Amino acid sequence: MSPPARLERTSSAWPEWELRARGVSMKQYLLSIYQPDGPVPTPDILGKIKQDLEVLNREMKAAGAWVFTAGLHPPSTATVVKAQAGELLITDGPFTETKEHIGGFTIIRAPDLDAALEWGSKLARPPLFPSR
């Protein structure tokens, strides 16, 4: 399959090496997934969310936009590493008063911010992450 003579927004469907060879640069964007603090959703709700995420990840991969995705452990398992006065300070935490935290992220390739925001809107809207 040869690439189109004129690369437009659909250029993200081509491998990055081929885009670079044709002088097309793709930026990478990080899409954060915010998760409400509190109990883990029930298995049926969590199962539906995982299914919906897999469908979106397949769509991103087919479009050549997907780079990497990962879920994160709850904030209670976090450790902070901080340089302070020439010393390395390692503490449990962070301890913050929040109602949500970053539960995961996806890194995508997109030709511009508008294209990245299109993917971000698909990730953020229900039914992927229904409000509780």
Side-chain angles (χ1 to χ4, degrees), residues 62-130:
W66 186 91
V67 174
F68 180 80
T69 193
L72 301 174
H73 290 284
S76 61
T77 66
T79 301
V80 175
V81 179
K82 180 179 177 183
Q84 186 172 359
E87 298 288 323
L88 197 57
L89 181 62
I90 300 173
T91 60
D92 291 338
F95 297 101
T96 59
E97 299 291 325
T98 64
K99 295 182 180 182
E100 62 186 13
H101 61 276
I102 296 177
F105 62 92
T106 297
I107 297 174
I108 62 165
R109 243 187 331 259
D112 55 39
L113 181 59
D114 290 338
L117 290 173
E118 284 181 36
W119 287 115
S121 69
K122 289 182 179 190
L123 185 62
R125 78 171 61 117
L128 259 142
F129 294 101

Side-chain angles (χ1 to χ4, degrees), residues 4 7 10 13 20 29 40 43 45 91 118 124 128 130:
L7 296 173
T10 58
R20 279 196 202 131
Y29 296 87
V40 175
I45 292 173
T91 60
E118 284 181 36
L128 259 142

Side-chain angles (χ1 to χ4, degrees), residues 38-78:
V40 175
T42 61
D44 57 322
I45 292 173
L46 198 54
K48 176 71 173 126
I49 290 170
K50 286 180 178 181
Q51 277 181 329
D52 292 345
L53 274 172
E54 186 52 39
V55 168
L56 181 57
N57 285 336
R58 281 196 304 268
E59 182 183 347
M60 288 179 180
K61 287 176 183 179
W66 186 91
V67 174
F68 180 80
T69 193
L72 301 174
H73 290 284
S76 61
T77 66

